[in-house]
Amino acid sequence: MEHFAVVQSIIRAAMSGDRGALTKQVSRLRERLEKDGAAKDAATLERLLASVEEAREMAPSRVETSRIQVRGEKLTPEIHPPIDRETGARLCMIDFGENAPAAPIHGAAVQGAVDGLLQEWGNAAALQSVGVAPTRSVLIYGPPGSGKTVTAHYIAQSLRLPLITARIDGLISSFLGTTARNIANLFDFANRYACVLLLDEFDALAKLRDDQQEVGEIKRVVNTLLQNLDLRREHGITIAITNHDRLLDPAVWRRFETHLYIGEPEVGAREQLIARFLRPVRAEAPILRIFAYCLTGSSGADLERLCSAVKRNLALAGETHDGPGLFRSLSAVLSRAPDHTHLPKKILALDPEAFVSLITSDVDFAMKQADISEATGYGQSKVSELKKAKRHLALMEQSDAQ
Ligand SMILES: Nc1ncnc2c1ncn2[C@@H]1O[C@H](COP(=O)(O)OP(=O)(O)OP(=O)(O)O)[C@@H](O)[C@H]1O
Ligand SMILES: [Mg+2]
């Protein structure tokens, strides 16, 4: 059977549950079919890929409400959130899922953890039959822009529950006495309704504790929060988010049953994020791989910003909407601030030809010269010439010397 090797890779990816690898292998099969002249079959696969991705973004709700055992009255848009009595400011925002962001993209480990939580909440009765309850509290931590807040929205949306978001710094009133009351009011409100409670920017609590002024009062505030977190377990689901995990003390960590680290996206997730953020410009697999290689260490938010800049450059410079146009635009965007620490990024910013030398000689990257040629727009003989010339070495030495 032709293309059996790719079919095998597809099966392997599907069985291991690695969505990124699966998409990549199906794209590979599509490319092979296209090259063989089976344009119709290739187009069918392309439509399949697009519709699966779209369906995933549009309808992340996979857990049926009836099966989730979250107690409480139904929260409706007519119900007003609690306010700070001194300032009249709202203590939380309520999101009913109408403006929910697209489903986050994560590597297999994070996606597996999130899916696992959703599965627990969707099968609460089955868990109860063996005397355990679903996880009620999750602490999400990790660097800025990694998709923590988006993931909390996705969880609430998948559970078909409204999301009540409070920022700790929003609860802290200039009148400290009011702060403890604000916290109590917020939790009373969340406990009354069926919802997910999200405490975003949770590290503000730790900073408050470090503040030396009014120590006694601050202790009271922190204790109120911890007590409310304990009581909340009986009522519903709580997610807290921080990007300064080292600021949180063990008393806080202990309050959360699951700790979920969301870091910078790994290569497969990076490719999917880049493909999403470049849309409607369609990026083929080889240029996606080059982008993902070059942008190692970038957060999801960084990738989003960068892809927007690339699209702006593409449009204003009248570039072609294909691999070479994207490659030149990425180089142009990176060159505006060439002081990058990640070496491939720096090399592409300074000299795109040297970058081609780099990827032709990187055995781990292992991309065929034909694909490099297609993605970058350099003819195959030019790519061979750049491979021999090793133009990247001078830039690497220069960078070592600095
Ligand atoms: N894993 C991801 N999947 C999809 N989009 C992402 C992802 N990570 C980041 N983004 C994009 O970056 C933006 C910022 O993400 P988000 O606000 O969730 O990050 P965060 O981890 O909460 O950051 P911070 O710690 O700064 O609050 C989102 O609007 C989204 O478009
Ligand atoms: Mg956030």
Side-chain angles (χ1 to χ4, degrees), residues 390-399:
K390 297 191 189 309
R391 285 184 53 164
H392 58 295
L393 291 181
L395 289 176
M396 285 170 90
E397 275 164 24
Q398 209 176 306
S399 160

Side-chain angles (χ1 to χ4, degrees), residues 145 147-150 200-201 241 243:
K148 299 182 297 297
T149 302
V150 170
D200 212 348
E201 321 269 341
I241 295 183
N243 47 33

Side-chain angles (χ1 to χ4, degrees), residues 360-371:
T360 49
S361 59
D362 186 336
V363 282
D364 292 329
F365 188 56
M367 186 184 272
K368 282 204 222 101
Q369 288 194 20
D371 286 341

Side-chain angles (χ1 to χ4, degrees), residues 71 136-137 183-188 190-192 197 199 222-238 254-257:
R71 275 179 272 149
R136 292 263 181 182
S137 50
I183 291 172
N185 285 346
L186 171 76
F187 276 84
D188 282 349
N191 292 346
R192 181 169 167 192
L197 172 63
L199 302 167
V222 172
N223 286 337
T224 306
L225 185 61
L226 295 182
Q227 277 163 13
N228 277 289
L229 278 172
D230 288 340
L231 289 173
R232 166 108 187 120
R233 280 212 191 168
E234 305 299 314
H235 295 273
I237 299 165
T238 313
R254 265 204 313 276
R255 259 53 190 200
F256 294 89
E257 295 162 275

